[in-house]
Amino acid sequence: MDKKKGVDDTEPGPAPSRPVDRFGFIKTEHSNSPEGILKSRSTHEHEREERRIRKWRKMIGVGGSDWKHYVRRKPHVVKRRIRKGIPDCLRGLVWQLISGSRDLLLMNPGVYETLVIYETSSSELEIIRDISRTFPSHIFFQQRHGPGQRSLYNVLKAYSVYDRDVGYVQGMGFIAGLLLLYMSEEDAFWLIVALLKGAVHSPMEGLYQAGLPLVQQYLCQFEKLVTEHMPKLGQHFQDEMINPSMYASQWFITVFSYSFPFHLTLRVWDVFLYEGIKVVFQVGLALLRFCHDDLVNLPFEQLLHSLRNFPEEATDPDTLLPLAFSFKLVNSGTLAC
């Protein structure tokens, strides 16, 4: 309750009078937010969550000082705990640790400030145009030219200067926006660098380069995986002339941060930052598997609508993610396309 009040106090204007969920998104009248579930937690569940946070703090150490040592000693424990979900109060720090961005930040003092203050970008007008389209229902980004929008602009502008080959692509706003809800501008910038340049996993810059070459590759690979794991659905897609570019491009470009419930997005990102792009394929397959029996009977228009609007029960992370992990995939790069 105190946390929500603190968030409201930072945002002038009418938005604070409207109820927000625990993540800061303005509730709609028909919203069935997980915040309501949290409020009804029993004392036992609350104590269990506190124990979980203490375990994570011990694993991380002060400011992340013990993290690398713990990962080397007990990688399976780390993987299991991340798949269960990182405690929200520690999420920003852990994301920086598992992505390799904390090391980049420490090795490049002053670089972000220089990019923001002293450099100009050819993408500036495009970034400004798209700012208001990024998480428009979140109170941090609602105020025109407010602190959220300014931070988002700074991060996107800085990256467009840092990597002029990539510059700026619209989907990058959702990634930057998601990160800014959990860390500072500079931390968010270096995490984007870590992802696109491949600090830990394979580089993602091909998702945003001219022609989106990596998007095309991943969609082709995803189509093959659907046919391999769900042949009946794969054939139905073929019969109805449905291909992944019609429904799955944003899954890869924004790593499920666009149009999916935020509590699912966070859980996907926890695992994605630790295990890599494979998780996007797994979650995509899990969504199709969950809705398989309905999808195979739908004609084109209804099928496309369903692929862009999954039912609430399909996006419950505690149901969807175990299903996703049941798909044992080889490295996506080994699938020929």
Side-chain angles (χ1 to χ4, degrees):
M1 195 70 175
D2 291 338
K3 181 179 178 184
K4 186 168 77 173
K5 185 175 187 298
V7 172
D8 287 354
D9 287 344
T10 66
E11 182 68 9
S17 63
R18 302 169 66 181
V20 297
D21 68 15
R22 66 192 177 103
F23 299 117
F25 288 90
I26 293 173
K27 290 182 178 180
T28 55
E29 289 184 12
H30 53 79
S31 171
N32 185 16
S33 168
E35 184 186 40
I37 299 171
L38 287 183
K39 284 181 179 176
S40 63
R41 273 182 173 174
S42 67
T43 304
H44 172 72
E45 288 172 315
H46 180 73
E47 289 173 350
R48 186 172 62 185
E49 179 66 11
E50 289 298 315
R51 285 197 301 272
R52 193 170 78 94
I53 291 170
R54 284 196 295 272
K55 283 181 183 178
W56 270 90
R57 289 192 188 281
K58 184 177 179 182
M59 186 166 71
I60 296 168
V62 178
S65 57
D66 295 338
W67 175 255
K68 290 181 180 179
H69 178 63
Y70 198 100
V71 171
R72 281 195 298 269
R73 279 197 309 123
K74 298 183 178 180
H76 298 298
V77 173
V78 173
K79 183 177 180 178
R80 186 179 72 246
R81 287 183 181 173
I82 287 175
R83 285 186 167 192
K84 286 182 178 179
I86 299 167
D88 203 58
C89 61
L90 299 174
R91 193 165 254 133
L93 172 60
V94 176
W95 281 4
Q96 293 171 62
L97 294 172
I98 62 183
S99 67
S101 68
R102 174 56 65 90
D103 293 335
L104 290 175
L105 170 69
L106 296 175
M107 289 187 292
N108 293 277
V111 170
Y112 176 74
E113 184 180 10
T114 300
L115 293 171
V116 171
I117 297 175
Y118 299 108
E119 299 287 347
T120 58
S121 167
S122 60
S123 303
E124 288 179 18
L125 290 178
E126 196 179 353
I127 294 169
I128 291 169
R129 183 197 67 197
D130 290 340
I131 287 289
S132 61
R133 302 175 186 175
T134 304
F135 295 126
S137 63
H138 196 286
I139 59 170
F140 185 53
F141 299 112
Q142 279 216 319
Q143 184 187 356
R144 186 172 174 80
H145 307 307
Q149 291 196 4
R150 285 199 304 271
S151 291
L152 188 57
Y153 170 80
N154 287 343
V155 171
L156 294 172
K157 180 237 179 176
Y159 193 83
S160 71
V161 175
Y162 179 83
D163 185 352
R164 294 186 187 273
D165 288 339
V166 169
Y168 165 75
V169 176
Q170 188 175 3
M172 295 168 69
F174 282 90
I175 289 179
L178 171 65
L179 298 177
L180 284 169
L181 296 178
Y182 284 89
M183 60 193 72
S184 70
E185 285 182 25
E186 189 174 17
D187 290 332
F189 169 78
W190 286 112
L191 206 153
I192 294 173
V193 173
L195 290 176
L196 270 62
K197 295 302 182 183
V200 174
H201 303 292
S202 57
M204 289 175 57
E205 58 192 353
L207 291 174
Y208 310 106
Q209 288 169 336
L212 312 180
L214 203 53
V215 178
Q216 307 308 322
Q217 177 187 318
Y218 286 163
L219 292 175
C220 173
Q221 291 170 337
F222 186 74
E223 188 170 37
K224 290 179 184 293
L225 288 169
V226 172
T227 301
E228 176 187 336
H229 291 276
M230 290 164 275
K232 187 177 178 182
L233 183 59
Q235 184 60 52
H236 184 55
F237 282 164
Q238 196 172 328
D239 293 343
E240 296 293 330
M241 292 187 288
I242 294 281
N243 64 71
S245 66
M246 297 175 171
Y247 63 90
S249 297
Q250 291 290 351
W251 298 358
F252 291 99
I253 292 172
T254 71
V255 191
F256 291 104
S257 61
Y258 175 77
S259 80
F260 280 85
F262 197 67
H263 60 292
L264 172 62
T265 296
L266 293 175
R267 292 284 301 278
V268 170
W269 270 75
D270 289 347
V271 186
F272 160 68
L273 290 172
Y274 191 64
E275 300 187 31
I277 197 69
K278 173 185 70 171
V279 174
V280 179
F281 288 90
Q282 290 174 308
V283 172
L285 290 172
L287 286 165
L288 299 185
R289 172 66 60 79
F290 189 92
C291 302
H292 179 279
D293 294 348
D294 294 324
L295 294 174
V296 292
N297 294 311
L298 295 176
F300 177 84
E301 287 189 10
Q302 290 174 262
L303 181 56
L304 197 55
H305 180 268
S306 295
L307 290 168
R308 293 171 176 173
N309 301 274
F310 287 94
E312 187 177 339
E313 59 270 21
T315 59
D316 175 1
D318 292 325
T319 302
L320 187 67
L321 291 182
L323 180 57
F325 302 142
S326 72
F327 290 96
K328 306 303 180 187
L329 306 183
V330 294
N331 188 303
S332 62
T334 63
L335 281 168
C337 266

